[in-house]
Amino acid sequence: MRLTQDLHRRGLLAAGLMAGAAASATATTTAEAAKPAKSAKPALLAPRPPMGWNSWNSFATTITEAQSLETARIMAARLLPFGYDVFTVDIQWYEPQASSYEYNRDPQPAMDGHGRLLPAPNRFPSSAGGRGFKPLADQVHALGLKFGVHLMRGIPRAAVKANLPVLGTKVRAADIADTASTCTWNPDMYGVDMSRPGAQAYYDSVFRLLASWGVDFVKMDDMSRPYDAHAPEIEAAHKAIAASGRPMILSLSPGETPVARADHVRRHAQMWRISDDFWDEWHMLEAQFTRLENWNEHRVPGGWPDADMLPLGRLALGKRDSKFTPDEQRTLMTLWAVARSPLIMGGDLRHLDEPTLSLLTNRAVLAVNQASTANQPHFVEDGTRIWSARPEGSPQARYLALFNTTEKPKLVGLPLRDLGLSGAVSARDLWSGADLGRVSGRVEQTLPPHGAALLRLGA
């Protein structure tokens, strides 16, 4: 529906431009015609919260080319029609011996002669002969999907040990490496000292390589903790994308990105994590309410606070299903929708069941995430959370999300006047599609423990 509306608006705009062309031409003087045209403002890379799938929750470090293609085909068939279009291969695609959620302490990554990581050919056979991810990206693109990769901050320690030359410069890996800047949980990389000659050239070379493969999305890790210490490399990645000639969404990970640095992160990335890795534990989900409330005023089109992936369905190398109860799963999707967090599915799509699919593909709920404005939390009392938003193009309507974070059933609601509404208004349950009739004065529902409701009020 949104695509149809967008095309309709574009058609009306084009018609208006053509209708005014003749009158404009007769009124334009020679001097005015000679003026250089103003350059168009660059299009936003992520005007709406990105939607997609990422391999981490289900495959850890181990995903292969065969598994990638099988998953991408399922994604294209079952999720792409609902807007999920970013397919991302997560961490250690360059590690031949990757086998679990643990990292090898002495990694021997596949890389080229300039210290740039390459897909491990034993896991991604089409990458052999220097072709990198391009053959896989081409197949993903052919399915109508965007192709994303995970990238660690810095330069491989193996490149520094071998002191490989930085492409296009006279410096070498050891000249730009900051060996005191290391990731606390992953042994693959040293940081890059951006004050040294050749440092930006290294990042430029990395992102040019990604661009040549057809990468559309880069999840860059170890970037936000501590944020200020890594800010020069965040800026370097942003500059390198601009220099690559290919638009690539930059997603920073992990959290917690400090709210005080909102202006900086919005200038340099399109997504940024606001927490550490999020998994299927209620205490983790409950903590995301406060984080999303704190970040709410800093969210803008093209800049999305990211509450992390959706750990739904089959997880953890196929060892278990999500520990979230059905009510908690609905709470998760409702919160991510009304707070407009990116929607990145993490579960194994090869085992996608109907209840999980229905959670991911409710068009009315997805519209809240993709096409709402004035999203805001309303504090009511302990044990409840309430958010509201306005549907795009319907100024008199409201979305209302009600949450019960307690261990017992609870009546949750608020007066319509708090939403700027008066009189009696229609109400519809977005999860079930049920018409709830007309409500006046106060809207409320009894919710189960850890449960949620998502309503549309008004026309």
Side-chain angles (χ1 to χ4, degrees), residues 13 56 63 153 169 228 260 285 318 347 372 396 423:
L13 177 60
W56 173 251
I63 193 166
R153 175 183 67 90
T169 75
D228 287 340
L285 177 50
S372 61
Q396 302 306 313

Side-chain angles (χ1 to χ4, degrees), residues 195-383:
S195 70
R196 297 181 183 176
Q200 185 63 50
Y202 174 73
Y203 270 117
D204 289 349
S205 73
V206 169
F207 280 89
R208 280 200 307 272
L209 182 62
L210 299 183
S212 74
W213 294 342
V215 170
D216 306 294
F217 179 100
V218 181
K219 175 185 174 183
M220 202 160 183
D221 218 331
D222 192 36
M223 294 295 268
S224 303
R225 190 176 56 202
Y227 187 91
D228 287 340
H230 299 163
E233 287 181 89
I234 294 172
E235 295 169 7
H238 173 79
K239 292 176 184 176
I241 290 173
S244 74
R246 182 178 181 84
M248 287 182 265
I249 291 174
L250 180 60
S251 170
L252 303 183
S253 183
E256 299 176 1
T257 303
V259 175
R261 301 297 270 139
D263 288 342
H264 184 272
V265 75
R266 287 186 308 197
R267 290 197 306 270
H268 297 100
Q270 289 72 50
M271 288 171 51
W272 54 91
R273 283 271 297 281
I274 62 173
S275 72
D276 286 335
D277 283 3
F278 173 74
W279 280 96
D280 48 332
E281 303 280 353
W282 170 250
H283 71 91
M284 290 186 172
L285 177 50
E286 188 174 19
Q288 298 298 66
F289 280 94
T290 300
R291 293 188 178 103
L292 287 165
E293 290 161 2
N294 290 341
W295 272 101
N296 183 60
E297 65 182 282
H298 303 289
R299 181 187 58 250
V300 297
W304 306 104
D306 177 16
D308 203 8
M309 294 174 290
L310 305 169
L312 301 172
R314 187 68 55 83
L315 303 170
L317 297 168
K319 295 178 181 178
R320 61 179 179 82
D321 291 329
S322 178
K323 291 182 284 187
F324 282 138
T325 67
D327 287 323
E328 290 167 349
Q329 292 181 39
R330 179 172 291 191
T331 290
L332 166 63
M333 287 297 297
T334 301
L335 178 60
W336 265 235
V338 75
R340 304 200 74 188
S341 175
L343 296 177
I344 309 297
M345 171 59 170
D348 191 337
L349 299 186
R350 301 172 304 172
H351 303 278
L352 186 61
D353 57 41
E354 287 304 317
T356 304
L357 181 63
S358 68
L359 274 173
L360 296 171
T361 58
N362 183 308
R363 292 189 186 277
V365 173
L366 295 178
V368 181
N369 178 266
Q370 292 291 296
S372 61
T373 62
N375 307 67
Q376 61 176 307
H378 301 261
F379 177 77
V380 179
E381 61 183 47
D382 291 342

Side-chain angles (χ1 to χ4, degrees), residues 17 41 55-56 71 229 292 322 328 338 361 395 438 440 442:
L17 289 174
K41 185 178 181 180
S55 64
W56 173 251
T71 302
L292 287 165
S322 178
E328 290 167 349
V338 75
T361 58
R438 297 183 71 79
S440 60
R442 181 179 176 85

Side-chain angles (χ1 to χ4, degrees), residues 397-451:
R398 300 290 186 273
Y399 291 128
L400 181 64
L402 307 172
F403 302 94
N404 172 17
T405 60
T406 74
E407 303 297 324
K408 297 180 179 180
K410 187 177 181 68
L411 184 66
V412 179
L414 85 170
L416 288 176
R417 65 174 180 270
D418 289 0
L419 303 174
L421 299 175
S422 60
V425 299
S426 62
R428 180 160 55 92
D429 183 325
L430 296 187
W431 278 112
S432 69
D435 184 349
L436 304 180
R438 297 183 71 79
V439 297
S440 60
R442 181 179 176 85
V443 58
E444 57 189 15
Q445 287 202 351
T446 298
L447 302 177
H450 301 178

Side-chain angles (χ1 to χ4, degrees), residues 77-156:
R78 308 195 74 181
L79 295 183
L80 179 60
F82 298 89
Y84 295 85
D85 63 354
V86 181
F87 174 90
T88 302
V89 175
D90 208 274
I91 195 167
Q92 288 206 314
W93 40 267
Y94 45 81
E95 172 57 72
Q97 303 304 319
S99 60
S100 70
Y101 281 97
E102 302 298 323
Y103 302 105
N104 296 329
R105 303 317 301 173
D106 184 25
Q108 300 297 320
M111 58 184 180
D112 69 9
H114 298 284
R116 301 180 298 177
L117 295 167
L118 300 173
N122 62 322
R123 294 169 54 198
F124 298 92
S126 71
S127 71
R131 289 175 292 180
F133 267 134
K134 190 175 190 316
L136 177 57
D138 286 348
Q139 293 186 73
V140 170
H141 289 153
L143 294 169
L145 302 171
K146 299 180 177 70
F147 183 68
V149 296
H150 176 284
L151 192 67
M152 290 295 297
R153 175 183 67 90
I155 187 168

